Amino acid sequence: MAGVTVPPEANEKLPDAPPRRRKPTINDVASMAGVSFGTVSRVLNGAPDVSAATRERVLQIIKDIGYRRNRAATALVTSKSTSIGILSDGSPRFGPVGTLMALENVARKKGYATTVISVEKPYEESAQAALDTLDDTGVGGIIVIAPMVDMAAAVWNATCRVPVEMIAAGASSTPNVFTYSENQELGARLATQHLIDLGHTDIAHIAGSMDWFDGRVRKRGWEAALRDAGLEPGLCIEGDWSPKWAYETGLRLVREGRVPQAIFAASDHTALGLIRAFAENGIRVPDDVSIVGFDDIEGSDYFLPPLTTVRQDFTALALMSTEVLLGAMEGREVDRTPIPPTLVVRDSSIRAGAHGSTVPQQH
């Protein structure tokens, strides 16, 4: 049997791999800056007793050599956790997802790692297990994104050794769990009051699910604004936040001849479904019915017509929520005033009677 010929280049020695670069240490920073280990540590921790020139020199060297703090080592030395837990129900809806993404981003910018766990029903079992898991990882505190009432109840009944903050619109704090949120009831008031100021008196609410805190407080804000204006709340239909459900509801309102003068929709997706249903039946927005949404989702300014809506500032919510949790972790008081939302007026709402109603009547 003939032997196998090996190409001569296969016998050549492969070049040695380049030596792995050593990660710069805090001692490297101190040596290059001509200061002590303690001075670098004070700069990293934002201590005030460092001159501006020294602080600037240390920070520039940190940037130049790519030094990164070892979170685990820092926690051991300072006995202070550098990570935060986030507990979510895994909802794909706009609000919970926007809040989660903003929280992770803000925590990272503040120098905290995050560990995220999602829970599922039955919450009575999964919430306690998730809190225990986060506690065991050494987090200094936990933020719970709890849009649903039954999830919040399970967290309230659970126990945990670290501070627990819950983002739940309009919910009250308990001895074990403190709450923070955007003032969504105010947002609903702003939306409804805008329609009232335009001269509308027949203002319906196409609502979200009452299993959600958001659905409850937005409905409450609609009711309160109407009653404050001397108007009795009228048509209110509870739904599931989806454009599909809203579209089907809009079709039903057309069939039954119950299309109101104006609608406060509990979400922009709800508004989207309604607008399509009305457009398919010759009902013009805003000429025949004014619509105001809630959320200011990406693209709401490109609806046809561009949607008047209430803007939620998830970055501001995340900043304040994180600051509130850090305050609890560090034993200091922090202002817990809810974040105010903003009304964004576009083209889907106009003054009552501005163009005259031509709503087709179904027979």
Side-chain angles (χ1 to χ4, degrees):
M1 179 177 178
V4 177
T5 302
V6 180
E9 60 269 21
N11 293 319
E12 294 178 5
K13 182 180 179 184
L14 293 174
D16 293 334
R20 191 170 183 178
R21 186 181 175 188
R22 180 176 65 85
K23 290 183 180 179
T25 68
I26 191 171
N27 288 320
D28 295 330
V29 176
S31 176
M32 295 177 69
V35 298
S36 68
F37 174 99
T39 298
V40 177
S41 179
R42 288 197 295 276
V43 170
L44 291 170
N45 290 313
D49 56 339
V50 180
S51 70
T54 299
R55 185 183 306 278
E56 184 178 350
R57 184 167 75 255
V58 169
L59 291 175
Q60 186 60 51
I61 289 170
I62 288 172
K63 181 179 179 181
D64 290 344
I65 69 174
Y67 168 71
R68 292 173 60 188
R69 301 178 78 173
N70 185 315
R71 297 182 189 277
T74 300
L76 286 172
V77 172
T78 63
S79 298
K80 177 183 174 182
S81 176
T82 56
S83 64
I84 293 172
I86 301 177
L87 185 62
S88 167
D89 75 334
S91 170
R93 297 294 180 196
F94 177 73
V97 171
T99 302
L100 173 59
M101 294 177 64
L103 281 172
E104 288 188 295
N105 187 43
V106 166
R108 184 171 62 255
K109 288 181 177 178
K110 286 182 172 288
Y112 284 81
T114 54
T115 301
V116 181
I117 294 181
S118 295
V119 295
E120 56 187 19
K121 294 182 178 181
Y123 294 124
E124 293 78 7
E125 300 172 7
S126 61
Q128 182 65 71
L131 289 171
D132 290 342
T133 299
L134 288 171
D135 194 359
D136 290 343
T137 64
V139 299
I142 298 170
I143 296 179
V144 180
I145 303 171
M148 301 188 70
V149 177
D150 53 353
M151 177 183 173
V155 174
W156 278 323
N157 292 328
T159 58
C160 193
R161 293 176 296 182
V162 298
V164 177
E165 172 188 7
M166 185 157 60
I167 298 178
S172 300
S173 298
T174 68
N176 297 327
V177 180
F178 55 93
T179 59
Y180 190 77
S181 69
E182 187 173 53
N183 193 338
Q184 294 190 34
E185 182 173 341
L186 172 61
R189 279 177 168 270
L190 292 173
T192 309
Q193 188 61 50
H194 169 67
L195 293 169
I196 294 170
D197 291 342
L198 291 174
H200 296 289
T201 56
D202 177 19
I203 304 172
H205 180 40
I206 306 304
S209 169
M210 294 301 114
D211 292 336
W212 288 52
F213 288 108
D214 306 51
R216 294 184 178 195
V217 296
R218 294 177 195 183
K219 179 183 178 184
R220 193 158 65 222
W222 166 74
E223 291 174 333
L226 288 173
R227 291 202 169 104
D228 286 350
L231 300 171
E232 190 62 28
L235 178 66
C236 179
I237 305 175
E238 177 186 345
D240 66 0
W241 306 102
S242 72
K244 179 179 183 294
W245 172 85
Y247 171 73
E248 293 170 348
T249 299
L251 293 178
R252 178 157 56 91
L253 291 175
V254 173
R255 284 197 308 271
E256 297 173 356
R258 293 199 298 157
V259 178
Q261 287 182 338
I263 295 174
F264 164 43
S267 73
D268 291 351
H269 284 125
T270 301
L272 179 62
L274 291 169
I275 291 171
R276 177 179 169 182
F278 294 157
E280 289 180 352
N281 288 274
I283 298 173
R284 302 166 301 170
V285 176
D287 301 63
D288 302 321
V289 53
S290 287
I291 296 181
V292 178
F294 200 112
D295 286 332
D296 194 28
I297 63 173
E298 182 180 5
S300 59
D301 49 340
Y302 285 93
F303 282 18
L304 190 63
L307 185 65
T308 297
T309 186
V310 176
R311 175 178 296 159
Q312 296 196 78
D313 189 339
F314 292 118
T315 299
L317 175 62
L319 280 168
M320 281 305 302
S321 298
T322 304
E323 186 60 26
V324 167
L325 181 67
L326 295 180
M329 290 164 56
E330 297 165 5
R332 55 184 172 85
E333 286 295 321
V334 177
D335 182 12
R336 297 184 185 176
T337 303
I339 295 288
T342 305
L343 179 69
V344 181
V345 179
R346 297 194 181 106
D347 298 341
S348 65
S349 55
I350 59 173
R351 184 163 295 281
H355 297 288
S357 175
T358 59
V359 176
Q361 297 300 311
Q362 301 296 308
H363 301 287

